[in-house]
Amino acid sequence: GRFCICLFLLLLAARCVAQEETTPTKGCGGYPGIPGDPGHNGMPGRDGRDGLRGDKGDRGAVGPLGMKGKKGENGERGTPGKMGPQGVLGPIGLKGIKGDFGPPGPKGLKGEIGPLGPEGPVGEFGPRGDRGIQGPLGPPGRPGPKGDLGVPGHKGNIGYRGERGGRGDAGEKGQKGDTFVIPKSAFSVGLTEQTKLPTPEVPIRFNKIIYNQQNHYNPETGRFTCAEAGAYYFSYHITVFSRNVKVALVKNGVKFIHTVDIYQSGEDQAAGGAVLNLAVGDKVWLQVVGGELYNGLFADEDDDTTFSGFLIFGA
């Protein structure tokens, strides 16, 4: 529409110029005429060339959160990493369920008969019983001729032995001899949940008393003190759990035997025993050696760790 109007104004201006050239006198310009109707739309022009690329616009606002995509497939497994350093020893785990009893083992060989005990002293003899009743007289000798009463003669010979008299009454019972006193010394003790995993390098304090009639074992110190000199047998049976075990049977500070068990899994068992010759006042105990890595002596309501000893015979 603007193009048509411009074209119309140009034509009108050209006409006025032509009239001025033919007219000798210049007249007054008239008023502009009424604009004509707009012409028809021309043919569409060709597409212009693409202009230069404009600057990048500002970043738009973040759009709403889209729906969760499907889970991707698992990637290939990577190669194993290098083995890391050993971790700190963790706390003791919960006790596992007790397993079923295994089948009974084969019958062991019959043990040898132990030595006879010492013979007791002979008791004293009782008092002698009363003398029995005298037997009857023997037969009279031959009668001699009656002579004058002379001086008393010599004592005659002993007559023939008479028949054996009857058995006399039993004498009174003699006094009782001295009683033979058999020396006694024995103990059997165990750990509890309060004394399990004992402190190393000191006597283990077994505070569960199974037998200690003579009180020769002291649960406060963990030591047995000899009161009757002689040969003694000592034994220990250990339930091993969560740690290794290494113990020694000690007499007066000297270690006589050692027992070691390396813990694998579940519950292990370890045991040991020995015969020791003790004098009055000697002390015997059991202790952990090797530090806290070897104090896995365990006890609870179903499992026990025990220490026992008794006199075999006196000195």
Side-chain angles (χ1 to χ4, degrees):
R2 292 181 179 180
F3 178 77
C4 295
I5 294 173
C6 292
L7 182 61
F8 173 75
L9 293 176
L10 288 174
L11 293 174
L12 183 60
R15 183 177 180 185
C16 291
V17 170
Q19 288 179 359
E20 287 178 355
E21 290 177 351
T22 55
T23 306
T25 58
K26 183 179 181 180
C28 296
Y31 293 99
I34 300 171
D37 296 328
H40 296 288
N41 292 336
M43 296 295 290
R46 296 180 180 178
D47 292 336
R49 296 181 180 178
D50 294 335
L52 298 176
R53 184 172 182 178
D55 296 333
K56 185 176 180 181
D58 296 333
R59 184 173 182 178
V62 178
L65 183 65
M67 296 180 66
K68 185 176 180 180
K70 295 182 179 179
K71 185 177 180 180
E73 298 180 356
N74 293 332
E76 296 182 358
R77 184 173 182 176
T79 56
K82 295 182 179 179
M83 182 177 292
Q86 183 176 359
V88 180
L89 183 66
I92 299 174
L94 298 176
K95 181 181 175 184
I97 300 174
K98 189 171 184 179
D100 298 332
F101 285 101
K107 186 175 181 180
L109 300 176
K110 185 176 181 180
E112 298 179 356
I113 298 175
L116 294 176
E119 185 176 356
V122 179
E124 297 178 357
F125 288 103
R128 187 174 181 178
D130 297 335
R131 185 174 182 180
I133 302 173
Q134 186 176 359
L137 296 175
R142 296 177 182 181
K146 187 175 181 180
D148 297 335
L149 184 63
V151 295
H154 298 288
K155 186 176 182 180
N157 297 326
I158 299 175
Y160 295 105
R161 185 174 183 179
E163 295 179 1
R164 184 176 181 180
R167 185 172 184 177
D169 296 334
E172 296 179 359
K173 187 175 181 180
Q175 295 180 355
K176 187 176 181 180
D178 294 335
T179 304
F180 177 68
V181 179
I182 301 176
K184 298 178 182 180
S185 181
F187 74 95
S188 184
V189 292
L191 293 178
T192 63
E193 292 192 28
Q194 288 74 33
T195 54
K196 67 184 179 181
L197 306 178
T199 304
E201 309 301 339
V202 294
I204 299 172
R205 294 191 302 163
F206 293 86
N207 61 342
K208 178 181 179 181
I209 304 302
I210 302 171
Y211 178 87
N212 193 23
Q213 191 75 26
Q214 294 78 35
N215 290 321
H216 293 167
Y217 175 82
N218 187 346
E220 297 296 327
T221 63
R223 293 182 173 93
F224 167 80
T225 302
C226 175
E228 299 285 347
Y232 285 77
Y233 178 71
F234 296 93
S235 66
Y236 47 88
H237 299 270
I238 301 170
T239 297
V240 182
F241 183 66
S242 78
R243 300 181 188 177
N244 303 328
V245 163
K246 186 175 183 181
V247 296
L249 183 64
V250 184
K251 170 189 170 184
N252 296 333
V254 179
K255 300 179 180 69
F256 274 77
I257 62 171
H258 292 79
T259 298
V260 179
D261 184 88
I262 303 302
Y263 176 71
Q264 300 294 331
S265 62
E267 293 179 356
D268 295 343
Q269 300 293 324
V275 175
L276 300 179
N277 186 35
L278 302 183
V280 175
D282 285 347
K283 298 183 184 297
V284 178
W285 64 86
L286 196 69
Q287 74 178 39
V288 173
V289 293
E292 293 187 354
L293 295 178
Y294 293 91
N295 70 334
L297 289 80
F298 186 77
D300 61 10
E301 60 183 4
D302 296 323
D303 303 284
D304 291 289
T305 293
T306 60
F307 179 37
S308 304
F310 58 86
L311 173 67
I312 303 174
F313 55 84

